[in-house]
Amino acid sequence: MRVQSFENMEVQYKTENEGLETEDLAERKKLLKKYLHSVIVEGEHSEFDNLEKWIKLNIDRNGLENIYYGKTGYNYGFAEYFLSEKEYQVKLKAIIPYIFTTYPNACPSSLICKSDGYNVTIEYDGFYKNAILFPIE
């Protein structure tokens, strides 16, 4: 999972999915008027689930809305989080590189990793002292 720019997100959608949906762009424009800060995130769906868990514990949901823009690959895509406070934006940007996912059915044992672009993974190796993992539900 990584922070991304709007321009890079647009490039990926234009090459793979023929562009962002008109409704999403209209909603984005509306939310950018309401919220002063935003963070675009690229990652696997399981990483978004873990990010949402972290957000529920650390950011006031009244100061946040998001748009999931859709898939650019199998279980992979972009979302944008719109935030009322600069502090929330800073926290979110800082934590995103540390969101890891557990794959319990990986062979030979559970795999812990995070994405760093589509089909690029970084396996947890103990050096990420601030890694964020949530129990499998």
Side-chain angles (χ1 to χ4, degrees), residues 4-46:
Q4 194 53 270
S5 71
F6 185 74
E7 293 76 23
N8 285 343
M9 180 180 65
E10 277 191 311
V11 167
Q12 285 196 34
Y13 270 95
K14 286 180 181 172
T15 58
E16 295 186 20
N17 291 349
E18 300 175 6
L20 294 167
E21 293 184 22
T22 305
E23 298 84 20
D24 287 343
L25 291 172
E27 181 69 11
R28 180 178 195 268
K29 196 175 211 179
K30 183 179 96 179
L31 289 171
L32 285 171
K33 288 180 182 178
K34 182 177 177 182
Y35 296 97
L36 297 178
H37 313 283
S38 81
V39 177
I40 296 174
V41 181
E42 171 186 9
E44 291 184 357
H45 291 170
S46 57

